[in-house]
Amino acid sequence: MNSNKACCWILTILVGGFVLTMLLIGWGISRAMSNGFSAKLASNVAVQENSWLVFNISGPIADYNSEPDLGPLGGGRGSSLNDMVRALKLAETDPDVSGVILRPRGATGMASLRELRQALLSFRETDKPIYAHLDVATDRDYYLASVADTILLMPGRLSGINFGGMAYSNTYVKGTFEKLGIKFHVLHAGRYKGAYEDLAKDSMSTDLRESLVTLFADLYETYVRETAEARTGLTYAALDHELKEGQELIVSAGTCLKNGYVDRLEDWPVLRKRLQGDAEEFNAVSPSSYVNSKHTVKVESTQNEIAVLHAQGAIEFGDDEGMFDDENITVKEFNKQLDALAEDENVKAVVVRVTSPGGSALASKQILEAARRLNEQKPLIVSMGGVAASGGYYISLAADKIVAQPNTITGSIGVVSVFPSAEELYKKIGAREETISIGRWANFFRIDEGLGPDQERVLMSLMDTVYAEFRDDVTAGRGLSAAALDTIAEGRVWTGTQALARGLVDTLGGVDVAIAIAVREAALGPDDYKISYYPERDDVFAFFVKHFASQLRLIDTAGQKLEMLNDPAAILAYVKNFFNRMEFVQTLLPVTLDQ
C-alpha cells in the first residue's frame, strides 16, 4: 500500500469515529431539546427594546436554509433571503425594532439583492430609518445600500467604493486535456447552448458570445437605472460615466462624498454608539434570529395554507445517499414533497421558488410531471430566484403563472451532452481495452476510441428528441407557437425583463408577488391564510446526521483525488465515470454567472 492510500485509510477511520461520536452527541442534544432545552438557544432569544435589525452580508445569499439554528452549537448557516424578507415584514410594525442597518461586504447575486432591496423599499415607507455603513464596498454592495435613507462610509485613504461593472470570463481547456491524451466530445441541441464548450473549444463560440453580450447589457441597464433612482441627486448618466470612464479603481471616501454617492463619512463604532443612545449596550439582532424569536409568538387563526417550496441547486437523480444532500434538487426527495403538498387538504396553493441552473434532462422531466399532478388539484405559482434556466426553467412550466426578477437569469431552452475519449492517454500509459459484447449497442461508447459518426448520429438523434419534447412542453405550458419559440429558444439565456417581453414569464417581482398571485388564485381573503415554508427545518438529530455524513464523503472524495495525482489508472477511472451517469443528456445553463 502506497503512502497516499495509507493516508486516505487513516483519515477515513478517524473521521468515521468522529462522525459516530458526533451522531451520538446530536441524538443527546435532540432529546434534550425535546425536553425544553431549546428555549436557551439563540433561536428563541427575546428581542429587546430599541433593537436594530442588522444585515451583515458577504458573498451569495442562500434563498432558504432548512438547517436548525443551534446558537452557540452551530448550524443555521446565517440568514437566508427568506429570513431577511420575513424579518423586514415583521419589523415594520414591531415597536421593539428601531430600524435597519445594512453592512454589505462583497455581496453577490443581483436578483437576490434586488429582492432584498424591494423588501427594504417597503420597510422604508414606515417611519423607521435605514442606515447603510460601508468600508471598502463593491458596486453590488452599493446597489443594496442605495435604498438606505443614509449611507455612511468609513473615512480614510483605505475606504471607498469599487465600481467594477460586470464581466464574465471562462478558461478554455481543450488544449490542456489534449496534452493529457483526453478529448471531450460535446454535442448541443440549440445553437446558443454553449454548456461544456470550454472542454471542446479553444475559444468562446460566436453564438454564446452574442447571447451573453445581450444578457449583460440588460443586467447592466437594470443595475444603473435602479441604483440611480434610489439615490436623490445621483443620475443615470453620472453613474454610467463612473462605471465606464471612472479614473479610480477604488473611488476614495472624499470623492464619494463629493459626488453624492454617500451622505457622511463616519466610523462604524461612532454610528453604533450614536444609535445606542442612553442604553447600556447596542442591541443588534440578525434577521434569522429575529424571525425565529417571532416564530412561536404568532398564533394562526386559519388552517388555510399557502405553501412556499424551495427548489435550490442542480437537478439530479440522486440515490440512496440523497437524504444527506440538501444542496441539490433530487427527483425522489423533491417529488415526494410535491406529492405531499398536492394531497394536503390544508394547502390551498403552492409557490415553488426555483433557483437552479438545471441538470439532468430526465430528472427535470420527472419533476415537471409531478408539478403537473399537483397543479391538477390546486394553483401552482413559480417564483424565480437568481437563476432558473434550462432544467430550472423546464420544471417551472407546470405553473399557472411564472414570476421573475428583472435580473433573473432564465431561458436556456436546449440540450447538451459531453463524452470524453482517451485514445492518446491509453497510448501514453500503455493500456489496452479488451471487451466481449453481444448486441449492437452493448459496447457503444469506447473510451479508448473517438466518438465515431455512428455514435454521434445516434446520440444527436436522442438529443434532438429530448429537445423537441422540451420545446413541446414550453409551447404547451406557455401558450407559445412553435414559430415564436424558435426565435427565443436554441439554448439562449435571457434576463427576467427580456423573458417577460418574449412570453417566457408572466410578471416581474419576488416571492411576495408570487404569494399574492397564489392567494388570488386560491380565492382566499387577506386574513384567511398562513404561509408555510418547505422543506421544513431539520430536527437536530437529522442535522447532525446530514452534516457529518457529508463531511465523511468530503474526506473520501479528497482521498480519491489525492490518489489520482500519482496514478494514471485513477485518472482513467475518473474519466470513465462520464459513461456511468444515467443523466448524460443535460438541460444545463451554459455558463456559471456570478452577478
Side-chain angles (χ1 to χ4, degrees), residues 20 62 71 104 116 177 221 247 263 292 364 409 444 529 531 582:
L20 180 60
L116 179 54
F177 279 106
E221 157 67 21
Q247 300 301 303
D263 298 295
N292 288 328
S364 300
I409 307 299
F444 182 67
Y529 68 92
I531 303 171
M582 291 179 65

Side-chain angles (χ1 to χ4, degrees), residues 545-563:
V545 169
K546 291 194 334 186
H547 181 70
F548 290 105
S550 67
Q551 293 301 310
L552 183 59
R553 289 203 314 277
L554 183 64
I555 293 295
D556 181 57
T557 300
Q560 291 177 18
K561 290 183 177 179
L562 187 64
E563 282 188 61

Side-chain angles (χ1 to χ4, degrees), residues 317-335:
F317 277 101
D319 49 33
D320 292 339
E321 293 181 350
M323 63 178 291
F324 296 133
D325 183 10
D326 60 355
E327 300 298 324
N328 293 317
I329 305 165
T330 58
V331 171
K332 180 181 177 182
E333 293 301 314
F334 194 75
N335 283 5

Side-chain angles (χ1 to χ4, degrees), residues 46-52 94-99 275-276 279-284:
V47 177
Q48 301 178 33
E49 184 181 355
N50 190 32
S51 290
W52 288 84
D94 189 342
D96 291 328
V97 176
S98 298
L275 297 180
Q276 179 180 328
E280 293 184 3
E281 60 183 20
F282 180 69
N283 298 322

Side-chain angles (χ1 to χ4, degrees), residues 190-192 207 210-211 214 410-414 467 471 474-475 480-494 498-499 501-504:
R191 58 178 285 206
Y192 298 99
D207 290 329
E210 176 190 339
S211 178
T214 303
T410 189
S412 192
I413 301 164
Y467 180 46
R471 293 173 75 259
V474 175
T475 56
L480 295 170
S481 68
L485 184 60
D486 284 341
T487 66
I488 58 179
E490 297 283 350
R492 189 156 185 167
V493 289
W494 306 104
Q498 294 167 338
R502 290 160 177 82
L504 293 175

